[in-house]
Amino acid sequence: MRCGVPDWSGTPSPCGATGAGRITLWLLAFFVPLVAVLLGAAVVDEVWVPEERVELRDEVVYAYVVQNGSQFLTVLTADTREKRVLLSSEVVSRTEAS
């Protein structure tokens, strides 16, 4: 029996932990950092893309572009953080806001 190889019999391994104990330790070593990263990302209020000035035919929108499709532009507005779907044919210009 090798150290680190799961053993479901419950007999002690040369490493001192049973098979279930080793699996539990492995799961903790994997999931604790993953959960910490996800919680950190959820708490941070920063958006990871630059704010853009999107000029439409009838208005100007300051927003973060989430998805750029061929017919639609999906944005998250900078002021209210609302999701909006804009028609690409309505977009006159897009520049990075300063």
Side-chain angles (χ1 to χ4, degrees):
M1 178 181 338
R2 295 182 327 182
C3 181
V5 176
D7 178 15
W8 297 100
S9 66
T11 59
S13 72
C15 302
T18 62
R22 285 194 306 267
I23 291 173
T24 302
L25 289 174
W26 182 83
L27 288 174
L28 285 174
F30 177 74
F31 283 112
V32 168
L34 177 65
V35 169
V37 167
L38 292 176
L39 285 175
V43 172
V44 174
D45 194 31
E46 294 182 29
V47 181
W48 297 344
V49 294
E51 181 179 346
E52 293 189 24
R53 180 183 186 273
V54 182
E55 185 178 346
L56 304 171
R57 290 183 185 168
D58 57 350
E59 67 176 314
V60 174
V61 177
Y62 287 89
Y64 303 97
V65 176
V66 178
Q67 185 176 12
N68 185 6
S70 61
Q71 297 179 354
F72 299 98
L73 186 68
T74 305
V75 298
L76 180 68
T77 59
D79 54 353
T80 59
R81 300 282 172 102
E82 292 178 328
K83 176 184 168 185
R84 288 185 59 183
V85 179
L86 310 172
L87 288 173
S88 294
S89 59
E90 296 287 321
V91 176
V92 176
S93 68
R94 285 175 50 191
T95 56
E96 190 170 323
S98 48

